Amino acid sequence: MKNSLLYAFTLSVFFTLIACAPNTSQTTQQESNSLNQKSSPPMLISREVLLGNPSRYQGRISPDGNSMSFRAPVEGVMNLWVGQIGDFSSAKPITQDTGRGIPTHFWSLDSQYVFFTQDKNGDENWHLHRVDVGSGDIQDLTPYQGVQADQMHQSEAHPGTIIVGMNDRDAKWHDMYQVNVATAERTLLEQNDGYAYYKLDNNLKVRLAVKTSEDGSSHIFTKANNEWRLWFKVPFADSQVFNILGFDKQNQGIYMIDTRERDTAALVYLPIGETTPTVIASDDKVDVTNVLLHPRSHVPLAYALNFIKPVWHAIDDAFITPIKQLNNQLNGGSQVLAQTLDNSFWTVFTDQSNQSPIYKVFDTTSGELTDLFITQPEVNNLPLSTMHGVVIPSRDNLDLVSYLSLPLVSDPNQDGKPEQSSPLVLLVHGGPWARDQFGFNSLAQWLANRGYSVLQVNFRASTGFGKTFLNAGNKEWAGAMHNDLIDAKEWAVAQGITTDDQVAIMGGSYGGYATLTGLTFTPEAFACGVDIVGPSNLVTLLDSIPPYWESFRQQFYESVGNPATEEGLALLKARSPITHVDKIEKPLLIGQGANDPRVKQAESDQIVDAMKSRDIPVTYVLYPDEGHGFNKPENNLSFFAVAEAFLGSCLGGRIEPIGDDFSDSSIEIIHGAEYIPGLNEHMSTLANN
């Protein structure tokens, strides 16, 4: 689990929800344009369309280039489908899950199997399963109680084998096993006695190990004569971005993402045993990301730079023309998700802000980029908003790369300059060691359609903008990190986008914490807040981190605060929203999954209890079958139905009736239904039925 710190609280499901369900109130593009020109409110788009399941998602091409796979609903639950590439009539479901669905999948390198990971009701004990594409047989390759599968490796030279990290011996550490894909028989390769993660070479030999020291730095070890020996150290300031990508073809050196001796992350090469890397690619403005290595030669081919939007750059001279051809066919967000073994085809995810994302196939020989499938074809006929990249200055002169989406009623021509102000929702990303990016965002579209402007801010501690920007967030939870959000709000007011008294704050995970911080540390700044699985108490949060994050505990301490020291404990208490609960004046909605292993239910329970004891209004929604975010479509729809009514009562935006959005949901309104107009009546009706 490389760089768990970067993704520890990232609520990817929350911020990448994409929907595509039938809608009986669709309009044509001509009608949409007419609505825009008249500046009248556009049609109300169904929540199910924007926040339900996509028709197809997570497209992949098999390594041999003959087949395709994707996630798509089977009776409303996202399952895996496989068919001949481009022939959807041949595609058939290969799983029949009836619960929370299949979240992610990938192919075996011999194209004989499809692997997928799945937990139970959000507990994040991920099991690795495989499906035999030929026979349809499904097997759990990690069938052990309480195990979490991690650190998976394959090699074309070893078909029928996958290396998997498993922590069933000790929940804190993942031992490395060689697993027979056909039988699930496992053989121990390396017992883990305190290493964060391992790196294997191209022959599936355990070659490197990374350990976190007491000061948060990363120590990289090499193995010789069956002993681990220290190779080099990566200071804490660099460790959060540092990443070993893999070995060269001869297994004599490694490619890395490295910020040592520089501010932004560079792609570098370092021979085993040496200490001075060679820089292959770098940029002074942003980190190098999305590096593509040839699947067989392991030579770096290309990389992306992402300031407002990603732009691809060639490394290998042979790819200068293909990359130019690729860039010429892109004008939004893009990611290369998979490559065939011969590197002739790439699976590319392309993402416009006001259109459905499209999975495409890039022919690296011809330079042709063709559609594989559109994830949500129905939304292309709907009145959607355009996302605009903006750079907002912080009070101490940092550049905050942000994204602004304006409702059609306030910005009819969608040029990013409002003709009239509107209420605004400050939508805060999780992590915090992550970032917002350009592209179609279902939450932003939902909010804009209801009449709200949406501002997404890459505050300090966000990734991708260099280590100075990242480390500027160290020990600044509810400090400078929150100041960035306040600065962004004030910018929006100054630009005439909104008014000072019409701004809500909303987010999941760290974004939920930011919401609680906004309502406690700056109680006058926001009209209301929506907190989804956000921590309220930093002391109890760090005391209850999952055992498999043990190797990153010191990095948390360096980034947030160390409860083992008097100074650190005082800081954590001071920066905890629950310490300042008496200051809450504005309406608050909290959503929580009962099985969340990261931000446990106690984080929401304790602040709700504190507010109840002080007669401070709060609405608390709990899902007994969810974890760190809401995966089940019916749970997702039910929560955002509540959130829509809540925001409507607070900011005055449009509201779609709840209707049957609670159907089949496990939603429990623990407290405060009376604070959202119509919610009590709706719950009573459901109970009587």
Side-chain angles (χ1 to χ4, degrees):
M1 185 168 56
K2 174 63 188 84
N3 281 347
S4 289
L5 180 59
L6 296 182
Y7 307 107
F9 298 111
T10 302
L11 194 57
S12 59
V13 171
F14 179 72
F15 288 107
T16 58
L17 291 170
I18 304 180
C20 179
N23 179 28
T24 57
S25 57
Q26 292 175 5
T27 181
T28 66
Q29 190 64 52
Q30 183 178 2
E31 291 170 333
S32 298
N33 293 336
S34 175
L35 287 170
N36 295 353
Q37 292 167 3
K38 295 178 181 179
S39 300
S40 59
M43 59 166 287
L44 197 70
I45 304 174
S46 165
R47 278 186 300 270
E48 187 175 5
V49 169
L50 290 174
L51 303 173
N53 283 326
S55 59
R56 297 188 183 101
Y57 199 64
Q58 205 177 93
R60 299 288 187 269
I61 299 175
S62 62
D64 63 10
N66 294 324
S67 302
M68 64 178 178
S69 60
F70 52 87
R71 295 168 59 219
V74 175
E75 296 186 0
V77 178
M78 294 298 280
N79 276 275
L80 297 180
W81 296 61
V82 169
Q84 295 300 306
I85 186 167
D87 180 9
F88 288 97
S89 65
S90 70
K92 306 295 181 184
I94 60 171
T95 61
Q96 296 288 337
D97 187 72
T98 59
R100 300 174 81 236
I102 308 297
T104 187
H105 80 285
F106 59 100
W107 283 84
S108 65
L109 294 183
D110 60 9
S111 300
Q112 300 303 305
Y113 301 94
V114 171
F115 298 109
F116 67 90
T117 58
Q118 190 174 39
D119 69 350
K120 183 177 293 184
N121 291 330
D123 64 4
E124 296 190 7
N125 285 327
W126 301 104
H127 283 230
L128 176 66
H129 304 257
R130 64 97 175 119
V131 185
D132 186 316
V133 176
S135 68
D137 178 63
I138 301 176
Q139 181 147 2
D140 184 351
L141 298 181
T142 58
Y144 308 102
Q145 183 68 29
V147 71
Q148 183 200 61
D150 196 10
Q151 302 179 54
M152 288 160 271
H153 302 264
Q154 296 187 76
S155 170
E156 187 182 7
H158 298 274
T161 293
I162 187 168
I163 309 302
V164 187
M166 304 185 211
N167 63 341
D168 53 310
R169 179 186 60 85
D170 185 335
K172 295 180 179 180
W173 312 110
H174 287 77
D175 300 327
M176 302 302 293
Y177 288 92
Q178 176 178 304
V179 179
N180 184 301
V181 177
T183 67
E185 180 182 358
R186 68 175 182 174
T187 303
L188 181 67
L189 289 184
E190 186 75 29
Q191 179 171 305
N192 188 348
D193 294 317
Y195 292 97
Y197 62 96
Y198 296 98
K199 278 294 178 180
L200 282 68
D201 65 17
N202 301 314
N203 290 320
L204 299 184
K205 182 179 179 182
V206 180
R207 293 282 300 280
L208 303 177
V210 180
K211 178 178 289 188
T212 305
S213 70
E214 292 184 358
D215 63 0
S217 63
S218 295
H219 293 187
I220 288 75
F221 294 80
T222 59
K223 197 168 192 180
N225 298 324
N226 210 33
E227 292 184 0
W228 289 109
R229 298 178 181 176
L230 180 64
W231 180 11
F232 62 92
K233 300 179 181 180
V234 179
F236 169 71
D238 303 281
S239 63
Q240 298 182 77
V241 177
F242 175 81
N243 188 15
I244 301 172
L245 300 177
F247 282 78
D248 61 17
K249 185 175 183 178
Q250 295 75 28
N251 294 319
Q252 294 179 354
I254 56 174
Y255 298 105
M256 305 184 297
I257 297 295
D258 195 2
T259 58
R260 291 175 299 161
E261 308 299 327
R262 55 183 302 110
D263 184 49
T264 54
L267 170 64
V268 304
Y269 174 75
L270 183 63
I272 300 296
E274 297 187 15
T275 57
T276 303
T278 299
V279 176
I280 299 173
S282 65
D283 183 78
D284 292 335
K285 196 172 186 178
V286 293
D287 295 341
V288 168
T289 58
N290 290 16
V291 176
L292 297 179
L293 304 176
H294 193 289
R296 284 179 170 148
S297 71
H298 306 285
V299 173
L301 304 175
Y303 63 95
L305 298 175
N306 188 0
F307 188 63
I308 299 295
K309 300 178 183 179
V311 178
W312 289 91
H313 299 265
I315 298 172
D316 190 304
D317 288 346
F319 275 80
I320 292 176
T321 297
I323 290 298
K324 183 178 180 180
Q325 292 171 316
L326 177 64
N327 282 329
N328 287 341
Q329 298 172 83
L330 300 171
N331 57 9
S334 64
Q335 300 177 57
V336 177
L337 302 173
Q339 302 156 266
T340 55
L341 280 172
D342 62 4
N343 199 52
S344 58
F345 296 105
W346 297 351
T347 306
V348 183
F349 179 77
T350 62
D351 195 4
Q352 299 297 318
S353 66
N354 60 350
Q355 299 176 23
S356 169
I358 304 175
Y359 284 86
K360 300 191 177 188
V361 178
F362 180 60
D363 186 328
T364 61
T365 301
S366 69
E368 186 178 8
L369 188 65
T370 57
D371 290 1
L372 183 63
F373 61 77
I374 301 173
T375 66
Q376 302 162 260
E378 288 88 347
V379 304
N380 289 337
N381 295 321
L382 301 178
L384 301 177
S385 295
T386 300
M387 179 180 284
H388 298 274
V390 295
V391 180
I392 301 172
S394 72
R395 64 190 67 183
D396 55 350
N397 298 316
L398 292 180
D399 287 338
L400 309 177
V401 174
S402 306
Y403 298 96
L404 176 67
S405 302
L406 298 176
L408 296 174
V409 70
S410 68
D411 181 16
N413 64 5
Q414 287 293 289
D415 63 355
K417 299 177 181 179
E419 296 183 6
Q420 63 186 49
S421 66
S422 60
L424 182 143
V425 175
L426 187 62
L427 189 59
V428 187
H429 71 67
W433 309 286
R435 64 163 291 178
D436 281 313
Q437 302 192 62
F438 179 87
F440 181 87
N441 185 294
S442 60
L443 288 183
Q445 292 293 348
W446 163 64
L447 292 167
N449 182 258
R450 270 46 177 173
Y452 308 118
S453 294
V454 183
L455 185 58
Q456 299 167 264
V457 182
N458 284 309
F459 47 87
R460 70 192 68 203
S462 300
T463 57
F465 306 102
K467 69 180 180 185
T468 299
F469 189 84
L470 177 66
N471 287 296
N474 291 341
K475 297 184 173 66
E476 290 295 339
W477 288 41
M481 291 165 68
H482 185 62
N483 290 343
D484 290 345
L485 299 178
I486 297 298
D487 292 347
K489 178 216 167 183
E490 294 177 352
W491 173 87
V493 172
Q495 297 293 315
I497 295 167
T498 190
T499 58
D500 189 64
D501 61 344
Q502 286 192 302
V503 180
I505 184 169
M506 175 178 179
S509 200
Y510 177 84
Y513 167 83
T515 297
L516 298 177
T517 297
L519 268 59
T520 52
F521 284 76
T522 51
E524 298 296 327
F526 299 101
C528 55
V530 179
D531 154 36
I532 303 175
V533 296
S536 65
N537 185 331
L538 297 181
V539 177
T540 55
L541 172 73
L542 294 182
D543 282 346
S544 62
I545 63 174
Y548 46 86
W549 285 356
E550 183 62 31
S551 62
F552 300 99
R553 181 182 295 274
Q554 290 302 134
Q555 291 187 347
F556 278 109
Y557 289 174
E558 293 295 323
S559 297
V560 187
N562 189 345
T565 68
E566 182 177 345
E567 179 183 11
L569 183 61
L571 176 67
L572 293 171
K573 290 180 177 179
R575 299 290 175 84
S576 293
I578 197 166
T579 303
H580 310 278
V581 67
D582 290 330
K583 298 179 181 178
I584 296 179
E585 303 173 358
K586 303 297 175 58
L588 174 62
L589 169 64
I590 294 177
Q592 179 69 47
N595 302 315
D596 192 339
R598 308 182 185 196
V599 180
K600 291 183 169 57
Q601 182 181 334
E603 292 299 318
S604 292
D605 287 351
Q606 59 186 300
I607 196 165
V608 170
D609 289 344
M611 294 177 70
K612 287 167 58 179
S613 69
R614 294 165 172 80
D615 293 322
I616 303 173
V618 59
T619 302
Y620 183 23
V621 178
L622 182 70
Y623 293 90
D625 55 352
E626 293 285 6
H628 197 59
F630 314 136
N631 269 18
K632 289 186 175 180
E634 54 269 31
N635 290 341
N636 197 54
L637 288 174
S638 69
F639 179 80
F640 287 110
V642 174
E644 185 170 310
F646 173 82
L647 290 170
S649 67
C650 169
L651 296 180
R654 300 190 299 168
I655 302 173
E656 177 189 3
I658 292 175
D660 61 357
D661 277 1
F662 282 13
S663 298
D664 299 320
S665 169
S666 66
I667 187 171
E668 297 179 2
I669 311 294
I670 302 299
H671 180 75
E674 67 271 21
Y675 299 125
I676 299 180
L679 185 55
N680 249 341
E681 293 82 350
H682 188 81
M683 296 302 292
S684 297
T685 300
L686 288 178
N688 292 334
N689 291 338

